């Protein structure tokens, strides 16, 4: 190496060591200024560029930032800056050295504890999630380390708390990353999120459903615990959320929970009533009516897609349920969806036509076959009541 190059390296090292001594003596204001300059001057640098800037001792600076963060994060002293500076190190190409040092210095445990602090500011929480996403995206052993450090529970808590959309979107991104290429903890992430489905805000629920659908596609089985919350979500008056739930149910057609889902869907068609022989003035609430209509829609789509599923539904007495839903004059959409589903079964299985025709009568049955979508317009109160309380045998 030429003498001038050695001299430059020595000068750079002296400069860096001087900076580190100043850091050790500096108060929080001075340190914040150092970090501000570091972030503005070094964003996007590679591992080799950082090592060159810091005279091959960049790790010493990273260790100081990590230690300062660990000692002061509960007071939010420059936490956002600290996290942005750490991201520069962990994002650098060939960053395994920095990442290993960060983990050994308790970095991940500190990040998770920051998430667990109720007083953590929104902007700081976002940066914590950014760091966790960088770590998770680096490889399986780092995903496992986050999971072993109770990271999944901390992330789940973020989703169950009404934080900003940005925080919840980033939380879902981290969870999705943790589930990718992490077979040891995939099921834990999956089941943790299922428990949140009915305990979050509508926006969180929508993102949760999307994340869970993504996780489900990576799994060979579906846990039975998803059935009850999925069916319950069909009650929502927010169409986007209901659509996510419907799409997930349709995704599950080849999974082992389908018999449970089919049984649940058929049971939703018949709303709880008073005495079966008495006229029912009100047989449910709007959410229950919405759930009923969604169940009829899903049943039709599933049956149209699979003869095996259609046969299973017939065995569950789906015809009786659909006729009952067709009689719900308090909710037009239930009547329409149930009529369309029943039309499929009548046209696909001629054996059930005669008992249905005898029950409905020639006139009403003819109207039904001509245009099932508008059948509800012709129903009298007596006919609707008969449909509601039917006990037809097919």
């Amino acid at each position: 190496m030429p003498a001038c190059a050695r001299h430059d390296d020595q000068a750079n090292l002296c400069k860096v060591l001087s900076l580190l001594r100043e850091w050790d003596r500096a108060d929080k204001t001075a340190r914040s200024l150092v970090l501000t300059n570091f972030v503005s001057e070094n964003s996007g640098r590679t591992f080799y560029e950082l090592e060159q800037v810091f005279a091959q001792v960049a790790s010493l600076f990273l260790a100081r930032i990590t230690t300062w963060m660990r000692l002061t994060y509960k007071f939010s002293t420059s936490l956002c800056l600290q996290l942005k500076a750490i991201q520069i190190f962990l994002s650098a190409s060939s960053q395994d050295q920095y990442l290993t040092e960060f983990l050994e210095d308790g970095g991940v445990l500190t990040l998770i504890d920051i998430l667990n602090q109720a007083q953590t500011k929104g902007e700081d929480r976002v940066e914590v999630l950014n760091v966790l996403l960088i770590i998770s995206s680096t490889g399986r052993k780092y995903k496992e380390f986050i999971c072993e450090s109770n990271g999944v529970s901390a992330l789940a808590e973020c989703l169950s708390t009404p934080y900003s959309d940005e925080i919840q979107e980033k939380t879902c991104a981290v969870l999705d990353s943790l589930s990718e290429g992490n077979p040891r903890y995939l099921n834990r992430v999956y089941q943790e999120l299922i428990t949140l489905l009915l305990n979050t805000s509508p926006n969180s629920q929508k993102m949760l459903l999307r994340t869970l659908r993504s996780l489900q596609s990576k799994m060979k089985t579906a846990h039975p615990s998803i059935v009850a919350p999925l069916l319950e979500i069909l009650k929502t008056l927010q169409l986007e959320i209901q659509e996510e739930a419907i799409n997930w149910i349709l995704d599950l057609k080849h999974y082992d929970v389908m018999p449970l889902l089919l049984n649940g869907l058929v049971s939703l068609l018949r709303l709880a009533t008073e005495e079966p022989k008495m006229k029912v003035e009100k047989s449910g609430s709007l959410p229950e009516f919405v759930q009923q209509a969604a169940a009829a829609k899903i049943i039709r789509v599933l049956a149209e897609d699979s003869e095996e599923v259609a046969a299973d539904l017939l065995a569950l007495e789906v015809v009786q349920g659909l006729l009952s839903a067709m009689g719900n004059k308090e909710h037009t959409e239930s009547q329409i969806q149930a009529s369309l589903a029943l039309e499929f079964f009548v046209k696909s299985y001629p054996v059930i036509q005669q008992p249905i025709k005898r029950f409905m009568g020639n006139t009403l049955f003819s109207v039904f076959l001509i245009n099932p979508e508008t059948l509800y317009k012709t129903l009298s109160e007596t006919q609707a009541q008969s449909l509601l309380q039917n006990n037809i045998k097919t």
Side-chain angles (χ1 to χ4, degrees):
M1 180 184 292
C4 58
R6 289 198 301 272
H7 177 75
D8 289 344
D9 289 345
Q10 187 63 36
N12 192 30
L13 177 59
C14 289
K15 180 181 176 182
V16 171
L17 293 177
S18 175
L19 172 67
L20 296 177
R21 284 193 295 270
E22 288 179 20
W23 173 277
D24 293 340
R25 294 193 297 265
D27 60 15
K28 65 180 182 181
T29 302
R31 287 183 177 182
S32 294
L33 181 59
V34 171
L35 285 187
T36 299
N37 292 333
F38 172 78
V39 170
S40 64
E41 294 171 5
N42 293 282
S43 293
R45 287 193 187 274
T46 66
F47 171 83
Y48 300 105
E49 289 169 338
L50 286 172
E51 286 298 299
Q52 185 175 19
V53 168
F54 282 87
Q56 312 305 314
V57 292
S59 293
L60 297 178
F61 188 45
L62 172 60
R64 281 165 167 78
I65 299 171
T66 304
T67 300
W68 189 35
M69 178 182 71
R70 191 174 66 248
L71 294 174
T72 63
Y73 70 87
K74 291 185 179 179
F75 313 106
S76 195
T77 301
S78 303
L79 180 55
C80 195
L81 261 179
Q82 294 165 348
L83 291 164
K84 287 181 177 179
I86 287 168
Q87 286 176 62
I88 290 174
F89 282 101
L90 303 190
S91 297
S93 58
S94 305
Q95 79 281 49
D96 272 14
Q97 177 183 325
Y98 297 146
L99 191 47
T100 300
E101 292 166 354
F102 182 71
L103 265 61
E104 290 175 348
D105 206 21
V108 166
L109 293 172
T110 302
L111 294 175
I112 291 168
D113 202 33
I114 293 171
L115 283 184
N116 286 330
Q117 301 296 313
Q119 72 270 22
T120 299
K121 295 178 181 177
E123 61 180 3
D124 297 337
R125 202 173 292 275
V126 167
E127 296 306 331
V128 169
L129 292 166
N130 284 335
V131 178
L132 285 173
L133 186 57
I134 291 169
I135 296 171
S136 176
S137 301
T138 304
R140 176 175 170 176
K141 67 177 180 179
Y142 301 111
K143 298 176 196 288
E144 291 182 347
F145 191 88
I146 292 172
C147 293
E148 288 162 2
S149 305
N150 292 318
V152 176
S153 296
L155 292 162
E157 182 64 25
C158 280
L159 282 180
S160 63
T161 307
Y163 293 129
S164 69
D165 289 354
E166 182 181 14
I167 289 174
Q168 297 195 327
E169 286 169 4
K170 287 186 179 294
T171 301
C172 283
V174 178
L175 286 165
D176 197 44
S177 175
L178 287 176
S179 72
E180 188 72 41
N182 187 14
R184 185 177 172 189
Y185 287 96
L186 175 58
N187 200 52
R188 179 175 172 183
V189 176
Y190 173 74
Q191 293 197 42
E192 186 92 41
L193 296 189
I194 289 174
T195 63
L196 294 177
L197 269 176
L198 300 180
N199 301 298
T200 59
S201 66
N203 194 52
S204 299
Q205 205 170 54
K206 182 172 67 175
M207 288 186 285
L208 255 178
L209 284 165
R210 288 178 180 171
T211 303
L212 276 164
R213 282 185 67 200
S214 175
L215 264 64
Q216 188 69 73
S217 66
K218 303 164 189 172
M219 304 179 72
K220 294 180 180 179
T221 62
H223 198 275
S225 62
I226 67 173
V227 174
L230 266 181
L231 295 178
E232 186 68 17
I233 288 171
L234 296 180
K235 287 182 178 179
T236 181
L237 303 184
Q238 302 205 26
L239 293 180
E240 285 187 358
I241 295 175
Q242 190 192 74
E243 196 64 27
E244 287 291 340
I246 289 173
N247 287 336
W248 189 10
I249 291 172
L250 296 177
D251 288 347
L252 292 169
K253 61 189 174 185
H254 298 305
Y255 284 80
D256 45 357
V257 296
M258 185 48 62
L260 284 174
L261 277 168
L262 295 180
N263 191 64
L265 289 167
V266 172
S267 69
L268 296 178
L269 297 174
R270 303 197 78 146
L271 300 174
T273 63
E274 303 287 339
E275 294 298 325
K277 293 184 179 179
M278 295 175 60
K279 181 175 178 180
V280 181
E281 295 296 334
K282 186 169 181 61
S283 57
S285 63
L286 179 57
E288 289 171 324
F289 297 155
V290 168
Q291 185 187 40
Q292 181 189 53
K297 177 181 177 179
I298 296 167
I299 283 169
R300 174 174 57 83
V301 175
L302 288 171
E304 288 174 347
D305 189 58
S306 167
E307 289 185 15
E308 182 180 354
V309 169
D312 290 341
L313 286 164
L314 286 173
L316 291 169
E317 300 187 338
V318 70
V319 169
Q320 292 86 331
L322 292 172
L323 285 168
S324 181
M326 287 166 62
N328 183 8
K329 288 180 73 69
E330 295 183 66
H331 194 59
T332 300
E333 186 64 17
S334 284
Q335 293 180 292
I336 293 173
Q337 293 298 337
S339 294
L340 291 172
L342 186 62
E343 178 195 28
F344 166 78
F345 285 103
V346 167
K347 291 184 175 179
S348 302
Y349 298 89
V351 68
I352 68 173
Q353 288 187 20
Q354 284 307 311
I356 293 175
K357 185 176 181 179
R358 284 195 300 271
F359 172 76
M360 294 177 71
N362 291 337
T363 302
L364 189 60
F365 187 71
S366 297
V367 173
F368 164 70
L369 287 181
I370 292 170
N371 195 342
E373 285 188 80
T374 60
L375 177 71
Y376 70 93
K377 296 180 180 180
T378 69
L379 285 178
S380 67
E381 287 292 341
T382 301
Q383 288 171 324
Q385 197 66 26
S386 177
L387 289 171
L388 272 173
Q389 298 174 356
N390 83 88
N391 194 26
I392 184 175
K393 299 298 182 184
T394 56

